[in-house]
Amino acid sequence: MKVAIIGRPNVGKSTLFNRLARQKLAIVGAVPGITRDRKNITADLYGIHFELFDTPGVDPFSCNALALLMNGQSAAAMRESDVVFLVIDAIDDITEYDRAVAGWVRSILKKIGNRKIILIKNKSEGKRAVVGNPTSLGFGEGIYVSAEHNLGFDEIYAALAREEKIPGKECEEQSACAAAATITPTMDNRLKIAIIGRPNVGKSSLINAIIGEERLLTGEQAGITRDAIGLHWHFKNQMIYLIDTAGQRKKSKINDALESIAVLDAWRYVKQANIVVVLMDINAPLEKQDVTMATRVFDEGKIIIFALNKSDTVHNPDEILQLVQKRIPKEFAQVPDAPCLLVSAKEKKGLARIFNVSLDLYGAWNKRISTGVLNRWLQTAIAKNPPPLAGGMPIRLKYVSQTNCKPPTFTIFANRVEHLPKSYERYLLNHLRNSLNFKGIPMRLFVRQRKNPHAE
């Protein structure tokens, strides 16, 4: 079963979505119109499993291009759904806005066919609910709910149970199971790829081009995307979770609380990703903000792929690519050979290469090397370039082992560690990367003091 949450702006749709998801997945606030794209997740309410859609606020009165696109997102969610939660504000009486939205819902139903409409009177905690004559909207008496205070969800369960034709159950008996239920989709076997970048570099357009549909709102106006949006996709039989994020400006230029929240939301998803594509405008590549974002991604240990979008707008894309590829080692000593690709979301060029490169890098990011192979590498590296003497005494590198992956992490045990120069550690890391095929992969190398067995 699929359920869409529909209503005018600022009636609490995203709060209801977060409550049903039991996660703060959608950005919420007192400002109307925060949500602009539709967002979906697999949810579980007292044992009823369903796919849930959050949608932008419906504005039947506006002819603004962005408002029309947002209305289209809500209509698309209704088209995909079996049940529609039509949300109104229980604190207010029925407004002309509510009637207009109800009329808009009926007009969509005429185009897509019948759907079950459940009227949700949100913000009805305590004695605050004053909504009068909700039946005038034409969808019955409705259900009193407070998404913020977790009230009324037993009635939502009962309504969904009727749609699922589940025999009546006491919700109290289900509460223990519901409290333990996990809402998050299982994505352990999915390759998670996040797209980040400055505003208006084409992140949403790139994802639309990849999946072959206008799933995400796009436009010349910067900052259209606010919520991070995740989409499931397949490439060469690999399950992929694509994540679109809000555009990120310099901190000094962010003077809006909502934009700050959107940026924090974006980084929350970046931390969950395996691979991060830093998308740049080919007309202004590797600006300071690009470098700042990429450095933070490297610090998180994520695989990074640079992509130059809008390559169709310049006459010399290959020359610009070569210049950027020369700059990457200078800007990012952590991964000097991070890949950089040419793409065009508009002309749908270079898209498959992003995923071919991603699969190759993901395999190396997960790779484990045996201790025997590593110690043979260590002896080769030492023979080629021995560590310097410290006060006339040798620094002995004893042995090495891989202690983790994602990112690959290695520990070398040695004596006189405090005297080993950082430049030699960088030599070892680069030699390891080149010798064991970790090119383009963020890595960690630690040199630890070997315990002296005779110390005591």
Side-chain angles (χ1 to χ4, degrees):
M1 179 166 59
K2 297 182 179 180
V3 178
I5 302 175
I6 304 292
R8 63 179 170 89
N10 217 31
V11 293
K13 299 182 299 299
S14 292
T15 304
L16 178 62
F17 177 84
N18 287 343
R19 180 65 69 177
L20 288 166
R22 298 190 199 138
Q23 299 180 70
K24 291 184 178 180
L25 296 174
I27 298 174
V28 298
V31 180
I34 291 177
T35 302
R36 289 178 171 175
D37 286 288
R38 68 187 189 272
K39 194 183 193 83
N40 65 298
I41 190 172
T42 303
D44 178 334
L45 181 63
Y46 304 151
I48 299 178
H49 301 275
F50 56 97
E51 187 174 355
L52 182 67
F53 290 89
D54 186 25
T55 65
V58 174
D59 187 351
F61 300 113
S62 178
C63 293
N64 177 277
L66 181 58
L68 293 175
L69 288 171
M70 290 163 65
N71 289 351
Q73 289 283 310
S74 297
M78 286 182 61
R79 190 179 300 112
E80 292 185 46
S81 299
D82 310 296
V83 177
V84 174
F85 289 165
L86 177 56
V87 184
I88 62 174
D89 191 330
I91 300 175
D92 302 325
D93 204 346
I94 299 297
T95 66
E96 286 303 313
Y97 210 145
D98 292 319
R99 298 184 198 282
V101 172
W104 179 88
V105 167
R106 279 189 285 272
S107 70
I108 298 299
L109 292 177
K110 288 180 181 179
K111 298 175 183 177
I112 66 175
N114 193 34
R115 300 289 191 276
K116 174 64 178 178
I117 309 295
I118 299 175
L119 186 65
I120 303 290
K121 296 171 284 190
N122 193 27
K123 307 182 184 180
S124 61
E125 55 270 15
K127 297 181 179 180
R128 298 175 64 197
V130 296
V131 62
N133 194 23
T135 55
S136 64
L137 295 178
F139 300 112
E141 179 65 27
I143 299 171
Y144 282 100
V145 169
S146 173
E148 186 174 354
H149 293 83
N150 198 24
L151 301 173
F153 287 85
D154 53 344
E155 293 188 52
I156 292 180
Y157 167 79
L160 292 178
R162 286 192 292 271
E163 292 305 305
E164 287 279 271
K165 297 180 173 57
I166 297 174
K169 300 177 183 178
E170 290 297 324
C171 289
E172 292 77 10
E173 295 177 2
Q174 301 287 332
S175 59
C177 294
T182 299
I183 304 300
T184 310
T186 54
M187 296 192 295
D188 292 341
N189 60 339
R190 289 174 171 83
L191 173 58
K192 295 179 279 294
I193 301 177
I195 315 291
I196 67 169
R198 289 178 285 115
N200 219 27
V201 294
K203 298 179 294 297
S204 298
S205 297
L206 180 67
I207 292 182
N208 285 343
I210 289 168
I211 65 176
E213 64 173 286
E214 295 300 310
R215 175 61 176 80
L216 302 171
L217 292 186
T218 61
E220 294 183 1
Q221 174 187 345
I224 289 178
T225 301
R226 286 174 175 168
D227 277 299
I229 305 294
L231 301 171
H232 300 282
W233 192 61
H234 285 79
F235 180 80
K236 293 185 176 179
N237 298 319
Q238 170 71 49
M239 302 177 73
I240 293 176
Y241 190 64
L242 282 172
I243 304 166
D244 185 27
T245 62
Q248 300 183 40
R249 299 189 296 165
K250 295 178 182 178
K251 283 186 178 181
S252 60
K253 292 186 177 182
I254 299 176
N255 52 18
D256 178 64
L258 181 57
E259 185 177 356
S260 296
I261 294 171
V263 170
L264 289 173
D265 188 56
W267 281 106
R268 181 166 63 91
Y269 276 84
V270 167
K271 289 179 180 180
Q272 298 173 14
N274 311 119
I275 297 174
V276 178
V277 177
V278 177
L279 194 66
M280 301 178 288
D281 188 329
I282 196 170
N283 296 283
L286 271 188
E287 291 195 344
K288 185 176 180 181
Q289 181 63 6
D290 299 319
V291 174
T292 300
M293 286 186 290
T295 300
R296 186 170 176 183
V297 173
F298 283 131
D299 291 343
E300 293 287 345
K302 308 298 182 182
I303 301 169
I304 193 166
I305 297 173
F306 294 99
L308 299 175
N309 192 25
K310 306 182 184 180
S311 59
D312 55 291
T313 64
V314 296
H315 68 278
N316 58 339
D318 292 320
E319 291 179 19
I320 297 174
L321 175 63
Q322 290 176 9
L323 291 174
V324 173
Q325 287 174 331
K326 289 179 180 178
R327 282 188 59 193
I328 287 174
K330 299 176 183 177
E331 299 284 358
F332 309 105
Q334 313 97 313
V335 189
D337 42 17
C340 185
L341 311 175
L342 288 175
V343 299
S344 170
K346 182 178 179 180
E347 296 189 353
K348 299 184 179 181
K349 291 183 178 179
L351 308 184
R353 192 165 178 224
I354 292 176
F355 298 98
N356 285 323
V357 171
S358 293
L359 293 178
D360 289 342
L361 294 177
Y362 186 60
W365 196 59
N366 284 277
K367 185 167 61 176
R368 280 196 173 273
I369 307 296
S370 70
T371 302
V373 170
L374 284 173
N375 282 290
R376 285 192 291 274
W377 159 79
L378 181 60
Q379 295 308 313
T380 301
I382 294 172
K384 183 176 181 181
N385 182 15
L389 298 176
M393 299 291 290
I395 300 174
R396 301 191 185 281
L397 307 181
K398 301 294 185 177
Y399 62 94
V400 58
S401 64
Q402 183 172 358
T403 51
N404 211 338
C405 56
K406 302 181 184 180
T409 303
F410 304 88
T411 302
I412 295 175
F413 293 90
N415 70 341
R416 304 170 64 81
V417 169
E418 68 276 11
H419 299 293
L420 189 67
K422 292 295 180 183
S423 59
Y424 193 79
E425 291 185 29
R426 288 193 294 271
Y427 158 72
L428 291 172
L429 185 60
N430 290 329
H431 193 280
L432 176 62
R433 175 180 284 115
N434 294 326
S435 299
L436 299 179
N437 197 22
F438 283 106
K439 290 185 178 180
I441 302 296
M443 300 167 64
R444 304 281 187 267
L445 179 67
F446 300 101
V447 182
R448 299 286 187 242
Q449 181 70 37
R450 182 171 180 264
K451 186 176 179 180
N452 186 350
H454 306 291
E456 297 181 1

